[in-house]
Amino acid sequence: STYLFNKEGDSETFDYRFDYTQCASDKPYKQYDAMDMFIKLICNMDYIAGEVFHSGYSRTMSMPTGYPKCDVRWKLGGVNPIPHDLTV
């Protein structure tokens, strides 16, 4: 995977960010034309992990849904906004 990792200093909107521009995890799903399964099993689990660990996980873009990157944000102790369309 190719990613940029930064710790942001304002601590208001997020504490950590990962901007992924490549995803090694999606390769077998692409190979078998199973990206819907990838989104449900891998991408959506990030929100569930954020809820379990009370970490305030959020993302506005993801590569499997057509964006050029996944913009992962973590707010320590933050609210975890689970999308309404989250399905597993």
Side-chain angles (χ1 to χ4, degrees):
S1 294
T2 300
Y3 62 90
L4 168 69
F5 172 74
N6 282 338
K7 178 177 168 74
E8 296 296 319
D10 69 5
S11 298
E12 289 183 31
T13 55
F14 57 87
D15 293 312
Y16 297 96
R17 87 175 183 197
F18 289 92
D19 287 334
Y20 290 91
T21 57
Q22 293 180 15
C23 180
S25 301
D26 69 358
K27 296 195 183 342
Y29 293 90
K30 282 181 180 176
Q31 179 181 352
Y32 294 104
D33 194 29
M35 288 305 289
D36 286 343
M37 184 183 298
F38 176 77
I39 292 168
K40 289 178 181 179
L41 294 176
I42 306 300
C43 296
N44 287 348
M45 291 301 291
D46 293 334
Y47 290 99
I48 295 167
E51 181 72 15
V52 169
F53 295 112
H54 308 287
S55 64
Y57 177 87
S58 65
R59 182 178 65 227
T60 62
M61 296 183 268
S62 67
M63 291 179 294
T65 59
Y67 289 93
K69 66 180 180 180
C70 292
D71 65 336
V72 175
R73 303 293 182 261
W74 297 93
K75 174 70 177 132
L76 301 176
V79 175
N80 191 47
I82 297 178
H84 297 309
D85 62 347
L86 178 69
T87 56
V88 290

